[in-house]
Amino acid sequence: MGESFMAFFVGERVAMHEILWHGRGGQGVVLAAQILAEAAYIQGFRGVTSAPTFGPERRGAPLTASTRISDEPVRTFSQVAPADIAVILDESLFENATGEEMLREGGLVIINTPLKPDQIGANGRFSVATVDAAGIAREHHLSMGGVPVVNTPLLGAFCRASGLVSLESIEEGIKKKMPRSKASFNFQAIRTAFERTEVWVKNGKD
Amino acid sequence: MSDVRIITGNEAAALAVKRAEPGVIAAYPITPQTRLAEVLSEYVEKGELKAEYVRVESEHSSMTVCISASTVGARVFTATSSNGLLYMHEQLHWAAGSRLPVVMCCVNRGVGAPWSIFNDQQDSFSQRDTGWIQLYCRDNQEILDTVLQAYRIAEEVYLPVMVCYDGFVLSHTMMPVDVPDAGLVKKFLPPYRPHTILSPEDPKTINPVFFASRRENADGVLCDGYMEMRYKMQAAFERSRTVINAASDEWAKLSGRNHGGMIWEYMTEDADLILTGMGSIATEATLAADALRAEGIRAGVVGIRAFRPFPKEEVAQAFAKASAIAVFEKCISYGYEGGVCSDLKAALYGTDIKAPIHNYIAGLGGRDVKTRELVEAARTTFEAALAGDAGNKTIWLNCHTG
């Protein structure tokens, strides 16, 4: 899987990976969390859960969803916070998503932005992966109501940056949550996002 | 061949109902039960489930439809939450008193006022004495398996069964669930045999006014009075203990999954400190027990699966060696303490168990309960017992007010 965040987990094997998806109502945050759970199960993880953050949901309002990934069946259903990995669909949610209560020290941020990892103003508390998911969605004519679809390209970035699941597993996961024609329409964008994701690893040699 | 799907608690419940093939479903949507009612209506609409889906204007009516349909010989299902369950209150007694094997899911949600759509167990707890068997589930697999067991139990002892699971925490969380095939369920669940079938060909009056004492009917047959009918209901509850355990064992044999009958235990064999509760908070407690063991405290968990009938004998055995007990529960009997705690104390009275019991009221109205909070609370309980403090107390977990 090449350079990835996981390579730097060696020595502190994490029993469970907790992922928080940050976006706005209508961006497909909940669906992305579900696809990742499907993909992780296909990848061989026996414990997976996905859940919306329990609260009022409105189109355009900030919201989160979570995915837990573990070798063993998951026995915690409490809300994920802080997370190990934050995936940010809307750049404006960066501050909120990366505070100490939302993201663990040494965690990973995967963000939809045209900027490079060293340009987003991270404070060194966590690793950063960037991908221009909106730009990639536009290139691949992936839009809904004129708005670029960024959730699936970010799954490609997640594969690259976390190394937890393969692109093949993500594609299989998508097939379980979408009609086949719609699913395959997403694959190119996901692969492009995988290739263009740039990772800056905290304390790493990248 | 296993068919594992990553689904919510509501979807797991709906799949179980589909496999149980009820003839009549009546439900009124309410958060967080809504998706369950929707999925079932989709099954019926698509012809995947050959049931009559009766749309009603309220929960009082949904239970009334279930009572009526069950009385004419149909297997029935409904589901609700919170104030919807409270609106059924009168009919809950009616279903139980008529000895109808209605199965209902209560997707646990806090009760208004003030409004909350989020999880606690005050709704089903407040309906404890309506004559329904109450089973609580710890994850989505258990929801599916328990709904199937509920039909078997209900139809064997002729008591209605409420399958309770935590709203949002389970109802809206997706996790892997092994879905049994229809053939396996058919082996487990025999066709419904009604005790009485009301039909135009054989007209009867059922549930007329009963007098207190026994009385001869028009044919000169000496019939039960009201009190005898009540005694028989209590006797059915007593008998249901073995039926609940047997249903669990039988399902375990067929499916390979054993969730426990009346209770389940986690690392209790050598446990000095036992955490207990019902539903998802008890699952979370197993992680707390792991963490406490890592600290050197021998901790275990007893999950209360059946709240009614209460597992009095099982808890007396399971807690026999405990030196400290922490009860975590998402309900309260105002003016006293948590309902599980009271029942537990009553069950342990007169036994040799003298461990102090700390009652933690937790997670009301959806307040998140984290493993580390359970760890800290249980550790406090253990240290108090170790220091010789034998007093029981009630503590509101993570609750701060002026």
Side-chain angles (χ1 to χ4, degrees):
Chain A
M1 199 126 295
E3 294 285 32
S4 81
F5 180 63
M6 276 303 286
F8 301 91
F9 261 130
V10 180
E12 50 163 326
R13 178 90 183 92
V14 183
M16 182 159 61
H17 306 278
E18 297 185 307
I19 298 106
L20 263 180
W21 297 80
H22 301 262
R24 292 183 179 276
Q27 279 191 308
V29 164
V30 173
L31 182 61
Q34 292 174 358
I35 292 169
L36 179 57
E38 293 280 357
Y41 192 78
I42 291 162
Q43 189 76 31
F45 290 98
R46 291 303 90 183
V48 299
T49 60
S50 79
T53 298
F54 312 138
E57 286 171 22
R58 303 181 311 281
R59 184 161 287 269
L63 60 85
T64 62
S66 64
T67 311
R68 282 189 165 105
I69 300 175
S70 170
D71 290 329
E72 301 295 325
V74 174
R75 285 181 280 150
T76 177
F77 309 120
S78 56
Q79 301 271 279
V80 170
D84 301 303
I85 303 175
V87 190
I88 305 172
L89 283 70
D90 183 318
E91 227 178 330
S92 69
L93 301 172
F94 177 76
E95 294 298 329
N96 187 39
T98 56
E100 280 178 27
E101 284 180 13
M102 297 302 268
L103 184 67
R104 288 199 176 90
E105 170 87 37
L108 168 66
V109 168
I110 301 165
I111 184 165
N112 164 31
T113 175
L115 301 176
K116 302 289 171 205
D118 60 355
Q119 296 173 319
I120 66 159
N123 58 11
R125 207 174 68 81
F126 44 82
S127 303
V128 177
T130 61
V131 67
D132 183 10
I136 291 167
R138 273 189 218 99
E139 274 175 42
H140 293 273
H141 310 289
L142 204 58
S143 70
M144 249 174 65
V147 181
V149 171
V150 297
N151 64 345
T152 46
L154 276 165
L155 283 161
F158 183 91
C159 285
R160 176 64 174 273
S162 75
L164 281 170
V165 291
S166 67
L167 269 178
E168 292 70 28
S169 298
I170 290 285
E171 291 182 358
E172 287 304 309
I174 285 179
K175 283 186 205 160
K176 285 186 175 279
K177 306 302 287 187
M178 286 182 198
R180 195 165 267 277
S181 57
K182 202 175 162 195
S184 56
F185 200 60
N186 282 274
F187 294 163
Q188 267 312 316
I190 290 169
R191 285 167 189 269
T192 307
F194 179 89
E195 283 155 17
R196 294 196 198 154
T197 299
E198 296 198 35
V199 188
W200 175 82
V201 178
K202 176 185 183 283
N203 301 328
K205 53 186 191 285
D206 208 23
Chain B
M1 268 298 287
S2 69
D3 172 14
V4 176
R5 306 183 200 176
I6 300 173
I7 53 178
T8 63
N10 281 338
E11 288 161 348
L15 280 163
V17 174
K18 186 183 188 181
R19 291 282 188 265
E21 299 180 349
V24 174
I25 298 167
Y28 188 82
I30 181 170
T31 302
Q33 160 265 35
T34 309
R35 187 71 193 133
L36 171 51
E38 285 174 352
V39 174
L40 288 172
S41 71
E42 286 163 18
Y43 290 155
V44 174
E45 177 70 21
K46 287 183 197 156
E48 293 174 20
L49 172 57
K50 295 196 178 6
E52 186 166 346
Y53 193 104
V54 184
R55 287 170 295 171
V56 287
E57 89 302 342
S58 75
E59 289 85 358
H60 190 280
S61 295
S62 64
M63 184 50 64
T64 306
V65 168
C66 286
I67 289 168
S68 308
S70 185
T71 309
V72 296
R75 180 176 281 167
V76 298
F77 180 77
T78 187
T80 189
S81 297
S82 184
N83 289 56
L85 181 69
L86 308 191
Y87 195 30
M88 280 181 187
H89 177 73
E90 179 204 3
Q91 297 303 75
L92 295 182
H93 281 282
W94 201 266
S98 309
R99 305 292 303 276
L100 296 169
V102 179
V103 170
M104 168 166 64
C105 283
C106 174
V107 189
N108 288 117
R109 158 181 161 181
V111 164
W115 277 125
S116 170
I117 61 165
F118 299 111
N119 167 242
D120 63 41
Q121 296 172 345
Q122 194 69 24
D123 50 0
S124 52
F125 170 68
S126 75
Q127 303 307 305
R128 183 189 65 186
D129 299 331
T130 52
W132 283 62
I133 289 173
Q134 285 194 358
L135 304 174
Y136 287 78
C137 305
R138 84 197 87 150
D139 57 34
N140 294 357
Q141 183 73 61
E142 189 172 358
I143 294 170
L144 187 151
D145 294 336
T146 303
V147 168
L148 296 172
Q149 290 173 25
Y151 277 105
R152 175 135 166 179
I153 297 161
E155 292 170 9
E156 194 162 334
V157 295
Y158 294 108
L159 286 171
V161 178
M162 200 182 295
V163 177
C164 305
Y165 56 92
D166 291 312
F168 291 101
V169 181
L170 296 180
S171 72
H172 285 54
T173 298
M174 291 187 163
M175 61 191 82
V177 174
D178 196 336
V179 181
D181 67 46
L184 190 74
V185 174
K186 283 225 157 48
K187 264 189 224 164
F188 175 71
L189 190 60
Y192 171 42
R193 286 169 290 101
H195 59 70
T196 311
I197 298 180
L198 197 61
S199 79
E201 290 75 44
D202 181 20
K204 288 189 184 87
T205 303
I206 54 167
N207 292 321
V209 173
F210 265 56
F211 293 93
S213 301
R214 303 208 294 166
R215 235 175 126 94
E216 283 184 5
N217 68 9
D219 300 325
V221 179
L222 186 63
C223 295
D224 289 337
Y226 183 90
M227 197 153 161
E228 282 76 19
M229 296 291 279
R230 283 292 174 263
Y231 175 83
K232 282 181 169 168
M233 203 157 116
Q234 169 66 5
F237 264 92
E238 291 302 333
R239 194 163 77 81
S240 74
R241 299 171 186 284
T242 49
V243 175
I244 291 167
N245 283 326
S248 174
D249 291 345
E250 179 73 13
W251 182 244
K253 258 186 245 155
L254 288 170
S255 71
R257 293 187 297 273
N258 191 342
H259 305 287
M262 298 287 287
I263 64 167
W264 53 269
E265 297 180 58
Y266 179 78
M267 301 183 78
T268 49
E269 203 142 279
D270 64 340
D272 299 315
L273 167 64
I274 294 184
L275 293 72
T276 188
M278 303 194 294
S280 64
I281 202 168
T283 318
E284 197 89 29
T286 62
L287 287 173
D290 291 350
L292 287 158
R293 279 183 181 262
E295 291 178 15
I297 299 173
R298 287 192 304 228
V301 179
V302 171
I304 308 290
R305 188 159 177 265
F307 183 44
R308 282 296 177 276
F310 193 77
K312 56 186 179 186
E313 280 156 23
E314 288 84 354
V315 294
Q317 270 185 12
F319 288 86
K321 287 185 241 159
S323 52
I325 299 169
V327 184
F328 295 95
E329 55 187 318
K330 295 182 172 179
C331 65
I332 179 144
S333 174
Y334 298 108
Y336 197 27
E337 60 187 1
V340 178
C341 185
S342 296
D343 285 348
L344 182 64
K345 284 177 181 168
L348 301 186
Y349 184 80
T351 67
D352 293 331
I353 302 166
K354 300 289 178 263
I357 300 177
H358 287 186
N359 185 198
Y360 293 94
I361 306 299
L364 301 190
R367 178 71 58 92
D368 198 30
V369 182
K370 300 242 185 257
T371 303
R372 64 178 150 73
E373 293 165 342
L374 299 178
V375 169
E376 282 162 25
R379 191 196 298 118
T380 308
T381 298
F382 185 67
E383 284 168 357
L386 218 56
D389 178 358
N392 296 331
K393 50 178 125 168
T394 301
I395 303 128
W396 287 59
L397 190 72
N398 193 15
C399 180
H400 314 279
T401 181

